[in-house]
Amino acid sequence: MCTRVMRSVPGEPIVVGRNMDYHCDTGTNLWVLPRGVDRTDGVGGSLAWTAKYGSLIASGYDLMSVDGLNEAGLAGHILWLTESDYGTYDAARPALSMAVWLQYFLDTCATVAEAVAWIEATDVQVVPLADPGTGRVPAVHLALDDATGDSAIVEYLDGKARVWHDRGYAVMTNSPPYGEQLELVKRFAGLGGADVLPGTTLAADRFARATYYGERLPPAASPVDAVAGMFSVIRNAAQPFRIPEDGKPEVSQTIWQTVTDLTNLRYVFASTTRPNVIWVDLGSADLAEGASARRLDLVSGGDFVGNVTTEFVDSAPMQFLTLAS
């Protein structure tokens, strides 16, 4: 599931919030990944690169990037989209495994425009991989945003990338595909229509509420105010804990939330099962070529609170899930 909301107002920090909604624990830790690391596409193809930018990511099972920010101010967010269709893997096309899809852009791009241009020039394919936690193959789409206030939504439909690129594309949830979501939201009062703002956890309803409240935040007097305001919006779109329903044995709930300050390179993380909010100031992290990868172990239940930039521990490089594995 999941919800992503971006706010870009002149004179204020550009912030983006996201809820991670899932039906089970994703084994999420935070990683600081330095520049200068060599990576491959994860599918045994010809695509290889060296990380131009260092990044901070939230991992899934320490095997894939699902959310993150790089030192140039580009951020990305993986969300669920049932309608995703990546097509049959074609070895003749450039391709990225789903596990490293987001990481490629954090490693190589400074802006949304740069990432979109690369997608359109290469016709890159995404190759889905089984979720290590459930054994099932996820269906996802990608939001990208940057410190200039730009935004793009990348979906794979009928085997091809469909890119929605505009600064106005501030909200993203799940089904239906993005073009249909933009039409659905117009039904509601304050957004073009007359229907009462909906209150369920359905993706289209969360899209409407996030759009409505995201557009109505008061001015932020400080970066802390900007982060707090965004948390208020994504909490309104969160999914509460609940027992499975008939026909929905794997109902999702919000398991963690992030707010990223793209202007000041601050990444704020909150687990819904722990009381403490933590943050990382990426500008103070060691991202130099040759530096060690560093990990903040959230899975083991460390009692972290506040600024955790110096709490990361040296680690072997993160090993992304591959088609072969």
Side-chain angles (χ1 to χ4, degrees), residues 84-252:
S84 297
D85 176 6
Y86 307 99
T88 302
Y89 175 43
D90 179 359
R93 288 171 63 186
L96 292 166
S97 81
M98 186 179 288
V100 79
W101 183 22
L102 166 58
Q103 192 62 46
Y104 177 84
F105 298 111
L106 297 180
D107 284 347
T108 64
C109 297
T111 64
V112 169
E114 188 179 348
V116 169
W118 183 83
I119 294 168
E120 293 176 342
T122 61
D123 188 30
V124 64
Q125 185 175 17
V126 169
V127 180
L129 302 173
D131 180 334
T134 65
R136 298 182 180 180
V137 177
V140 298
H141 52 173
L142 172 66
L144 295 169
D145 28 73
D146 67 30
T148 75
D150 204 1
S151 172
I153 313 299
V154 186
E155 299 179 340
Y156 276 80
L157 305 170
D158 299 320
K160 295 288 185 178
R162 174 70 170 92
V163 181
W164 299 83
H165 180 200
D166 189 275
R167 293 173 183 268
Y169 296 147
V171 176
M172 171 175 158
T173 56
N174 317 108
S175 299
Y178 200 69
E180 296 177 48
Q181 286 277 31
L182 292 175
E183 292 302 315
L184 286 172
V185 78
K186 296 176 183 178
R187 297 179 298 156
F188 300 108
L191 300 171
D195 290 358
V196 175
L197 197 67
T200 81
T201 60
L202 293 174
D205 290 358
R206 287 183 281 111
F207 192 105
R209 290 202 307 282
T211 301
Y212 182 91
Y213 290 112
E215 291 177 352
R216 286 161 175 78
L217 282 172
S222 69
V224 172
D225 284 349
V227 169
M230 182 53 67
F231 263 120
S232 77
V233 174
I234 62 172
R235 284 168 179 155
N236 186 275
Q239 303 209 54
F241 295 3
R242 58 196 190 276
I243 61 174
E245 305 169 20
D246 291 342
K248 298 180 180 179
E250 296 180 337
V251 65
S252 291

Side-chain angles (χ1 to χ4, degrees), residues 29-32 62 293-297 311-315:
N29 291 311
L30 299 184
W31 287 76
V32 169
D62 286 340
R294 298 177 65 81
R295 187 178 73 150
L296 187 70
D297 185 354
E311 300 290 334
F312 285 68
V313 176
D314 286 357
S315 172

